[in-house]
Amino acid sequence: MKLNLNNASLRISAGLAKQFPTDPVPQITFSGRSNVGKSSLINMLLGRKSLARVSGEPGKTITVNFYDVDHKLFLVDLPGYGFAKRTFEDKQRWSALTDSYFTKNPHFDLVHLVVQLVDSRIGMTADDDEMLAYLSSLGIPFVIVATKADKLNKTEREASERAIRLHPSACDAVGIIFTSAKSKDGRDELWHAIEDACR
């Protein structure tokens, strides 16, 4: 799939399932905890600095953001989960909106891959386990992307890779990629995974 990354824009920040775009193009979905680096990763993939806005207050924004890439692909940013300061009502809204993306999406069959982000310094959390179990139950392929890898030294990175690969929730992953928005480490590898999923 040849993409003009200069032709990328935010199509819509959807707060309701009825607002989800219905374009018949592949959707690559980004999931992860609040402050794990989803916006930074999307900006890195698209070669932009601020197309995907980093929230000033983690966990505050509860929308599904659809980024239109050359009218051939959507990069879909789900709201971050696991933010401790969220109210019970906000957590319910997050759960309902995220669930509706997978269960009420008019083009659910075009969700080709979920990019599950994990902080490489923290590793897999209980929230990540829950999300991956949910994806596995729906039969959705996912790749695990460990973010902020530039903050680890060689020994720490090796330990993090080993821990993630051996984690039970990672057994269904189609791949594990370490990335850094700062150094662009893992960018090409992740694009290859996206292209493979869209074939």
Side-chain angles (χ1 to χ4, degrees):
M1 177 186 294
K2 292 185 178 180
L3 296 170
N4 177 8
L5 299 185
N6 291 319
N7 187 23
S9 62
L10 174 63
R11 169 71 70 85
I12 189 171
S13 292
L16 300 170
K18 65 182 181 182
Q19 296 175 314
F20 297 161
T22 58
D23 309 44
V25 299
Q27 297 183 16
I28 303 298
T29 308
F30 292 73
S31 168
R33 289 171 56 84
S34 296
N35 207 31
V36 74
K38 288 191 282 88
S39 296
S40 296
L41 181 65
I42 290 171
N43 285 330
M44 180 191 77
L45 282 173
L46 297 176
R48 301 292 188 87
K49 290 185 177 180
S50 58
L51 176 60
R53 297 296 178 89
V54 178
S55 176
E57 185 177 337
K60 183 178 181 181
T61 304
I62 303 179
T63 57
V64 178
N65 298 323
F66 289 80
Y67 295 93
D68 184 338
V69 185
D70 203 24
H71 308 302
K72 297 176 182 176
L73 177 73
F74 277 126
L75 299 185
V76 185
D77 183 9
L78 295 181
Y81 55 77
F83 190 63
K85 292 183 180 179
R86 247 190 209 155
T87 65
F88 176 73
E89 290 76 14
D90 279 349
K91 289 177 181 178
Q92 284 187 312
R93 282 178 56 215
W94 176 89
S95 180
L97 184 60
T98 299
D99 185 68
S100 70
Y101 172 74
F102 291 111
T103 62
K104 297 179 182 178
N105 187 338
H107 283 298
F108 172 73
D109 59 316
L110 291 175
V111 180
H112 285 224
L113 182 72
V114 171
V115 179
Q116 177 65 35
L117 279 69
V118 174
D119 190 320
S120 63
R121 303 166 300 173
I122 298 172
M124 303 283 283
T125 68
D127 289 321
D128 298 325
D129 284 344
E130 186 176 342
M131 189 66 197
L132 292 181
Y134 180 67
L135 296 175
S136 294
S137 73
L138 294 175
I140 302 174
F142 61 87
V143 60
I144 295 175
V145 168
T147 61
K148 308 177 185 181
D150 59 287
K151 299 182 182 297
L152 302 178
N153 61 37
K154 182 180 179 181
T155 301
E156 291 169 337
R157 175 163 173 160
E158 289 174 351
S160 178
E161 286 191 40
R162 184 165 55 252
I164 293 173
R165 290 185 189 282
L166 294 176
H167 198 283
S169 296
C171 64
D172 291 331
V174 297
I176 298 172
I177 302 171
F178 273 64
T179 65
S180 165
K182 184 177 181 179
S183 68
K184 296 182 173 53
D185 186 26
R187 183 177 188 265
D188 291 344
E189 191 177 353
L190 182 51
W191 266 121
H192 286 318
I194 292 171
E195 291 167 358
D196 286 345
C198 291
R199 287 174 182 166

